[in-house]
Amino acid sequence: MSLPEAPPARPPTWVPDVPAEDPGAATGPWTPALAATCASAACLVLLVLGVLAARPDVAVLGAAPLVLAVRALRARPTGAVQARFEAGDDDPGAPSRAGRLHATLVLDGPARWGLVTTTRQGRAGAEVLVRAVGGRRLPVVASTVRTGPQEIAAADVQGVGPDGASVAEPTPAVTRSTVVLPSTTPLLDLPLPQRLRGLTGPHESRRPGEGGGLRDVHPWVPGDRLRRIDWRVTARRSPDLSELYVRREHAQAEAVVVLVVDSRDDLGPDPRTWRGSVAPRPQDATSLDRARQAAASLARAYLERGDRVGLDDLGVRRRPVPPGGGRRQLDRIRHALALTAPEGEPAARLRPPRLPSGALVVVFSTFLDEESAQVAARWRTAGHRVVAVDVLPRVRAAGLYDRERLALRMMTLTREDRMAELVDQDVELVTWRDEPAVALRVLARRAQRRAGAGVPR
């Protein structure tokens, strides 16, 4: 049983951490089917006409089907039909194929057949008649391009008795929900903050230490280790060994990255749905879906390189995910991103959230209002390196009225001016819908060309 929907560009993973609802059971009695009732009435009329007209052949035509109908009605079931959802047979930790979500619909009860009707997010799905003798397990598959909490399917079942002569009341609708984690995109070179932290890490800093490249060759002083003596340089510069020379290296350090998601906007490609009165189409990925994917991709790329990554939300005031490293930190961030959603009217912030010193800040927003741009500018003024990621989907202007086109044009110009001001304030801009890996590589190489960029002096 499949609920068709447009497949996504990249498959998301899903975690069935929301339990199924209580099994639905039909509480009403088994009643004769409409077709059986009409057929019995017609047979009874033939039988009466045959008797009144002294026509045995006509009476026999109505008597035999009437006996079979009465026999089927006397053998109709008496128990209740039950339906419930269970988790799919797929491994919940493995990526779903083609962006599909799986569940299993279990049918129990005395019914010979079951008429199963499924819906998803208010849209009609499949309607099938299945054999249900001894119970039945039906796989339910739904395609999705969305991330976050969502419904896999809702189903109700109507039991059908022997020969279709009786039917039960439909069961209450049962649903199965899940949390779809955002997928990740491979990224190449990544920008680094202006200052690196710690005494160890994957990046080479300008501070003297161990583990990095050659810093210089210096005469030996008390405190230098003997194993760092460069005997070739010593033999060349001081043949009589009156002075020893040691090789000094750069220290290794790590980067601290804070991902900031603006969850106030969840906009689709159609501008007519931006007012909130009409929901975006289920087959369209929204700006929040893009923000989740972009943040998860950057988190995975930085964590795989040994850096520390944290997560914060501009739309909701809750405790952020503190910077950390490792595989568990990536799982924590992806789950927090999946649960990120607009929650009413956000309160105005008096000051931007506090960040670790010297952190790289990546802001994911549509930049349709001033708040996210002002927060990014304040962080840049405070000395952080800030990267603004534009997650607004490509807008579909086809089918708009003239007034709607004019409003969209004015909003687009205002947004472009706002983003140009960010660039003037030294906030680096990346558009996620246009080759983000290439844009991030350009930012990484641009920092490497500046003397001392990416590392503390």
Side-chain angles (χ1 to χ4, degrees):
M1 183 182 305
S2 177
L3 304 177
E5 193 172 307
R10 291 188 57 83
T13 57
W14 69 287
V15 181
D17 58 348
V18 181
E21 293 185 356
D22 294 336
T27 58
W30 289 74
T31 58
L34 178 61
T37 302
C38 295
S40 301
C43 293
L44 182 61
V45 170
L46 286 177
L47 179 60
V48 172
L49 291 178
V51 172
L52 295 178
R55 295 286 304 272
D57 53 343
V58 176
V60 170
L61 288 177
L66 184 61
V67 171
L68 294 177
V70 172
R71 180 182 177 184
L73 291 177
R74 289 177 60 87
R76 60 186 176 184
T78 57
V81 180
Q82 295 182 349
R84 68 180 185 275
F85 270 112
E86 294 181 354
D89 297 332
D90 293 355
D91 180 10
S96 304
R97 295 179 300 173
R100 294 185 175 183
L101 308 178
H102 299 264
T104 301
L105 179 63
V106 181
L107 306 182
D108 293 322
R112 293 286 184 90
W113 303 87
L115 181 61
V116 182
T117 305
T118 59
T119 58
R120 184 168 187 266
Q121 298 179 355
R123 302 171 66 240
E127 184 175 4
V128 294
L129 182 66
V130 298
R131 185 174 179 83
V133 177
R136 188 70 182 271
R137 299 175 63 89
L138 302 175
V140 180
V141 183
S143 300
T144 183
V145 297
R146 297 290 186 84
T147 55
Q150 57 184 278
E151 179 185 82
I152 299 179
D156 60 82
V157 181
Q158 185 177 25
V160 181
D163 301 327
S166 58
V167 294
E169 291 292 331
T171 64
V174 292
T175 61
R176 179 71 184 182
S177 300
T178 187
V179 178
V180 182
L181 301 182
S183 60
T184 57
T185 301
L187 301 176
L188 304 175
D189 296 337
L190 298 173
L192 295 177
Q194 297 178 355
R195 290 188 301 167
L196 300 177
R197 302 180 60 182
L199 300 177
T200 183
H203 309 291
E204 182 179 298
S205 67
R206 292 294 181 91
R207 294 180 290 101
E210 297 182 4
L214 177 64
R215 186 171 185 265
D216 59 8
V217 178
H218 192 272
W220 183 89
V221 295
D224 290 336
R225 298 184 179 182
L226 296 180
R227 65 182 179 87
R228 293 191 175 277
I229 298 177
D230 192 327
W231 294 106
R232 292 186 179 181
V233 177
T234 300
R236 184 171 61 252
R237 295 187 179 183
S238 180
D240 56 353
L241 300 181
S242 60
E243 191 173 16
L244 300 178
Y245 290 87
V246 295
R247 297 170 58 90
R248 298 195 299 184
E249 299 175 347
H250 291 286
Q252 295 290 99
E254 63 182 3
V256 177
V257 182
V258 179
L259 308 176
V260 182
V261 178
D262 185 3
S263 65
R264 297 173 302 158
D265 297 330
D266 191 10
L267 308 178
D270 190 355
R272 290 173 294 187
T273 64
W274 292 2
R275 293 176 295 181
S277 57
V278 180
R281 297 192 303 175
Q283 60 267 32
D284 291 336
T286 63
S287 61
L288 193 54
D289 294 327
R290 291 178 177 270
R292 292 179 182 135
Q293 181 190 14
S297 302
L298 285 173
R300 179 174 182 177
Y302 279 110
L303 290 173
E304 287 180 348
R305 301 186 182 195
D307 295 321
R308 300 171 60 199
V309 181
L311 177 67
D312 204 347
D313 188 356
L314 282 181
V316 180
R317 293 189 178 182
R318 62 165 61 99
R319 185 176 181 181
V321 178
R327 177 66 186 180
R328 295 187 62 182
Q329 180 71 1
L330 177 59
D331 296 338
R332 190 180 299 113
I333 290 177
R334 292 182 67 192
H335 192 268
L337 286 171
L339 298 180
T340 299
E343 297 184 6
E345 185 68 21
R349 290 182 176 270
L350 299 179
R351 61 180 182 180
R354 299 182 61 181
L355 301 177
S357 175
L360 169 66
V361 187
V362 186
V363 183
F364 305 89
S365 177
T366 58
F367 297 101
L368 290 176
D369 58 7
E370 291 286 349
E371 183 168 351
S372 56
Q374 291 176 355
V375 170
R378 290 180 184 176
W379 278 327
R380 184 67 191 96
T381 305
H384 298 279
R385 185 180 183 184
V386 182
V387 178
V389 180
D390 177 19
V391 295
L392 185 68
R394 198 176 302 276
V395 179
R396 289 198 301 262
L400 298 180
Y401 296 109
D402 293 339
R403 290 184 297 178
E404 295 174 338
R405 290 179 181 273
L406 178 59
L408 177 62
R409 179 59 178 167
M410 295 177 60
M411 184 176 58
T412 302
L413 292 176
T414 304
R415 178 174 172 271
E416 292 176 353
D417 293 341
R418 184 178 298 116
M419 298 173 70
E421 292 178 0
L422 284 178
V423 175
D424 293 340
Q425 295 173 352
D426 202 19
V427 175
E428 296 160 303
L429 183 62
V430 174
T431 303
W432 192 257
R433 61 179 177 271
D434 299 328
E435 299 294 339
V438 177
L440 292 173
R441 169 178 280 189
V442 171
L443 295 184
R445 294 185 176 182
R446 182 187 305 170
Q448 293 175 0
R449 289 195 297 266
R450 297 200 301 265
V455 292
R457 296 183 180 276

